Amino acid sequence: MLLLHHIPLHNSMPEKIQPAVFETTIREMLDSSRLLRKAYFFHDIRVICQTNHPTILAILDEMLGMFAPPRQVRGELSYYVLCYESGGIFPVRLPHTRRRVDTIRLLTNTQLKHYASMDNTTEYQSYRELRPINGNALSVMSRMEPVALTQLEMPEAYQGTFLRRYVFLLALGQVLGQFGFEPCHAATITAPGNCRQGALIIGASGSGKTTLSLSCALQGYGLLGDDLVMLCESRDDEEIEAYTITHEVSVRSHTLMLLKNLSFLRDYPVDQRDKRFLSIEQVRAGAARFQTSVRLLLFPSLTAENTSRARLLSKADTLRMLIDMCMSTGNNAFYAQEKLFHLLSRLAEQASGYQLEIARDTNDGPRLIQSLFAGESHD
């Protein structure tokens, strides 16, 4: 097993990293020839990963191994994941002078602090230790180069799901923004028999988006994800398209009570939030999709009514709900918020928005959404 503190460190990371020399600084800090290296893809972006621990490659294989090499590679990013015996010996530290962007508590109850360098060229994601879920971690992402570095304690200090969903995907997501990708917390489905007709199901935790998207997948719809996708402008026709991030979905007990076809999951291990993790293909063979054009924007809420209903939204109301659901209230950089607002504005013009009232104890959502794809009117 390779451990980085056995690899010669030529020098530590300087307090201030000059723009456009981020990766050069990392390479000068360590002997890259001793690292394990593997190339992956995220859609049409090549991802070159380097690590000092073989377990990291196994986790990245689960995350990125589903993406086949594209016909044409649009760009390349570098991702370094380095493991140490303890967080106290991470060679790259938070700079003494920095700007705090946001502090959030993840669904695992782990505290995550976002920082930026004073010149806004570098971002930092700092994770506080919370055993047995995670050890200390620090990710550093350049805003000037497609390069990210994640420093971890040894892999056994983390749950595998935590590393995939809350560390690796967040770091890669930040860098992928340089290629036009923007993360969106939404379940995403495609119409039965037409993978180019897609719908974003956007709502807060508990709004029913996972149950609704999985029930659609069971009834012939395609599924990109139940919680998080990437949005990006198509190079062909300038439409906003949705791209899968992971084909892993999570299911809570109340979803199993409604979706009898998933009863086989009752004996699956659950985390502290009553979530069972599985692949989309386990939900229904052939349901997984990678990319779609967004035609519908659906905002669900649960209701005590006996029948699910849809109400067409004006373009202005659709944009307002997109902003409420998708734009953080944290102190993010103005240029990032401006870029996201522009994307959401175009999305509201491109797709029809509907407010869905989903009957809590019925499974008529897929039929209702099929009528929306078919263009049937709803008041």
Side-chain angles (χ1 to χ4, degrees):
M1 179 186 302
L2 294 171
L3 295 176
L4 194 62
H5 64 273
H6 292 157
I7 297 176
L9 297 180
H10 301 304
N11 47 67
S12 60
M13 187 74 85
E15 173 72 14
K16 178 176 171 57
I17 305 171
Q18 296 299 322
V21 295
F22 188 90
E23 185 163 20
T24 300
T25 305
I26 294 175
R27 289 182 176 277
E28 290 177 349
M29 183 186 71
L30 52 89
D31 182 1
S32 297
S33 66
R34 298 284 303 276
L35 297 180
L36 304 171
R37 184 180 187 274
K38 190 168 183 179
Y40 300 95
F41 291 93
F42 180 83
H43 298 284
D44 59 354
I45 305 300
R46 182 182 288 112
V47 182
I48 305 298
C49 297
Q50 297 188 63
T51 182
N52 63 326
H53 201 295
T55 297
I56 300 302
L57 288 185
I59 296 173
L60 291 171
D61 283 344
E62 292 182 39
M63 284 178 48
L64 300 172
M66 66 179 183
F67 296 105
R71 286 177 294 179
Q72 182 177 358
V73 177
R74 180 162 59 98
E76 182 175 294
L77 68 83
S78 297
Y79 188 35
Y80 296 83
V81 183
L82 307 177
C83 300
Y84 301 84
E85 292 290 355
S86 73
I89 59 174
F90 289 171
V92 181
R93 304 297 184 93
L94 286 169
H96 294 300
T97 55
R98 62 198 184 233
R99 179 173 57 85
R100 181 179 293 185
V101 176
D102 202 1
T103 299
I104 61 175
R105 195 166 295 277
L106 303 173
L107 293 177
T108 60
N109 212 34
T110 303
Q111 188 181 76
L112 169 59
K113 294 184 178 181
H114 293 263
Y115 298 94
S117 60
M118 297 306 293
D119 60 2
N120 284 321
T121 63
T122 312
E123 296 180 59
Y124 303 84
Q125 295 168 349
S126 178
Y127 300 78
R128 178 172 291 181
E129 175 185 17
L130 181 65
R131 306 288 179 163
I133 296 169
N134 65 278
N136 292 298
L138 178 65
S139 290
V140 188
M141 291 76 60
S142 171
R143 288 178 174 171
M144 310 296 291
E145 302 172 68
V147 182
L149 163 70
T150 292
Q151 299 169 116
L152 303 170
E153 296 178 348
M154 298 308 290
E156 54 267 25
Y158 310 84
Q159 294 179 353
T161 301
F162 181 88
L163 284 177
R164 290 195 303 274
R165 288 199 161 211
Y166 297 112
V167 180
F168 298 161
L169 283 180
L170 287 182
L172 288 171
Q174 289 292 330
V175 179
L176 286 165
Q178 298 180 34
F179 299 99
F181 289 100
E182 289 289 339
C184 178
H185 282 280
T188 305
I189 58 176
T190 63
N194 189 347
C195 65
R196 298 303 300 162
Q197 298 287 315
L200 300 184
I201 305 174
I202 306 167
S205 179
S207 63
K209 62 179 182 291
T210 291
T211 300
L212 182 57
S213 61
L214 294 184
S215 64
C216 286
L218 287 168
Q219 298 193 33
Y221 289 71
L223 181 60
L224 280 76
D226 71 324
D227 182 59
L228 185 67
V229 293
M230 286 287 194
L231 301 178
C232 190
E233 179 183 295
S234 169
R235 289 181 294 162
D236 297 328
D237 51 20
E238 298 185 348
E239 281 196 332
I240 305 301
E241 297 191 323
Y243 295 78
T244 189
I245 294 177
T246 173
H247 278 166
E248 183 180 67
V249 295
S250 60
V251 184
R252 286 192 168 105
S253 295
H254 67 80
T255 298
L256 299 183
M257 295 175 61
L258 184 61
L259 305 181
K260 304 304 182 185
N261 287 1
L262 298 182
S263 59
F264 69 92
L265 293 173
R266 294 189 186 279
D267 295 330
Y268 266 48
V270 299
D271 67 9
Q272 68 278 8
R273 296 161 295 149
D274 185 40
K275 286 194 170 188
R276 300 158 177 82
F277 293 91
L278 69 157
S279 72
I280 291 174
E281 291 295 295
Q282 288 177 274
V283 176
R284 179 178 65 80
R289 300 290 184 271
F290 287 86
Q291 180 181 349
T292 188
S293 294
V294 181
R295 296 288 177 254
L296 299 175
L297 300 169
L298 309 177
F299 303 92
S301 61
L302 297 176
T303 176
E305 298 294 327
N306 295 324
T307 304
S308 298
R309 302 179 184 277
R311 180 174 67 86
L312 179 64
L313 297 170
S314 68
K315 295 297 185 183
D317 284 342
T318 299
L319 178 58
R320 176 182 57 79
M321 295 191 72
L322 280 173
I323 291 172
D324 289 344
M325 293 290 181
C326 299
M327 292 189 71
S328 169
T329 57
N331 183 28
N332 292 328
F334 173 76
Y335 74 89
Q337 293 283 51
E338 185 178 38
K339 177 182 175 184
L340 181 56
F341 179 80
H342 177 69
L343 183 146
L344 296 179
S345 299
R346 292 184 55 194
L347 194 58
E349 288 295 325
Q350 171 181 312
S352 299
Y354 289 89
Q355 194 160 24
L356 302 185
E357 294 180 355
I358 302 298
R360 187 180 298 272
D361 297 321
T362 66
N363 193 19
D364 60 353
R367 176 193 57 78
L368 176 61
I369 295 175
Q370 178 61 51
S371 72
L372 299 179
F373 274 123
E376 297 179 17
S377 62
H378 290 262
D379 296 325

